[in-house]
Amino acid sequence: MRSVEVLEQLDAAAEEFLFPDLGNGYYYAVDARLHGYRDAGQWALIVETVGYSPRAGNLSDVLHVFGNCLTIGGPGFENGDFLDRVDNWDELEDPDEPEIYRGGPVVLRGRAIAVAAEAGEDLIDVLRRLVPRHRELLLADEGELRRRIPVDIPLRRECRRVGVGRRRNQSRWRETR
């Protein structure tokens, strides 16, 4: 693996607007995570960006997949890489005031989560409160991560970004051997 090869692919994705953009005006960032995979001849990077898109009407985890060993599709993201996380969206958003929390639990992957929030709050603020205790329900599981890369390529590094948005950003690296 040559670093030039990796950078060329990432640069090309940025030119085609397929690279993660946490500052996108149509997307409110909630959380992010980076996964690095490699062996002697293969490499893959997966950047997860969890965010609220009023246009899409859900909280989605978008997987941006790069590498020289992709098993499906090309670098960047495809339709199957948009993973909606909220099962009861229509019950959360106020129909008369878009982007406003109506109240009640948030159902993530079939689990009802009580949120310390009041009806009338900005929905993005309510969604960001899910991260500290429920981030694993927001982020991709192993099957979702491995959908477009070989199942046998080892995970080498993972960076967990905590508190994307208004809160202080903190990163944690975990390296595997």
Side-chain angles (χ1 to χ4, degrees):
M1 171 179 68
R2 296 177 317 121
S3 59
V4 169
E5 176 187 0
V6 175
L7 293 174
E8 286 175 350
Q9 192 173 113
L10 297 177
D11 286 343
E15 289 175 11
E16 297 172 23
F17 302 101
L18 296 173
F19 192 80
D21 180 5
L22 297 177
N24 185 313
Y26 295 112
Y27 178 88
Y28 298 98
V30 171
D31 203 358
R33 182 168 65 172
L34 169 68
H35 308 266
Y37 303 84
R38 73 173 173 82
D39 61 20
Q42 302 177 108
W43 66 272
L45 294 172
I46 300 176
V47 182
E48 292 184 75
T49 57
V50 178
Y52 164 50
S53 169
R55 288 178 139 184
N58 209 313
L59 180 67
S60 300
D61 185 8
V62 181
L63 305 182
H64 301 77
V65 185
F66 306 96
N68 67 354
C69 58
L70 303 184
T71 57
I72 299 171
F77 56 83
E78 302 182 329
N79 287 339
D81 296 323
F82 288 77
L83 309 172
D84 288 345
R85 294 302 187 210
V86 178
D87 299 335
N88 65 331
W89 189 262
D90 291 337
E91 298 169 23
L92 295 181
E93 187 174 34
D94 188 319
D96 298 322
E97 294 185 71
E99 302 181 40
I100 299 298
Y101 178 60
R102 184 191 292 191
V106 178
V107 180
L108 300 174
R109 296 184 181 198
R111 286 187 51 196
I113 309 294
V115 182
E118 299 292 326
E121 290 188 47
D122 286 342
L123 200 45
I124 185 57
D125 294 334
V126 175
L127 297 171
R128 285 182 176 147
R129 288 188 196 129
L130 297 169
V131 175
R133 289 197 173 139
H134 306 288
R135 76 187 311 260
E136 294 309 316
L137 292 172
L138 301 173
L139 295 166
D141 61 30
E142 192 66 16
E144 292 166 331
L145 289 170
R146 297 282 183 162
R147 187 179 76 84
R148 298 206 306 131
I149 64 171
V151 295
D152 61 343
I153 188 171
L155 174 68
R156 295 297 181 183
R157 291 193 178 189
E158 181 180 87
C159 177
R160 297 169 176 248
R161 187 96 173 157
V162 180
V164 172
R166 292 184 189 167
R167 295 187 181 137
R168 183 174 164 209
N169 291 332
Q170 301 170 340
S171 295
R172 296 183 198 134
W173 281 97
R174 179 175 60 106
E175 187 163 352
T176 59
R177 299 263 179 224

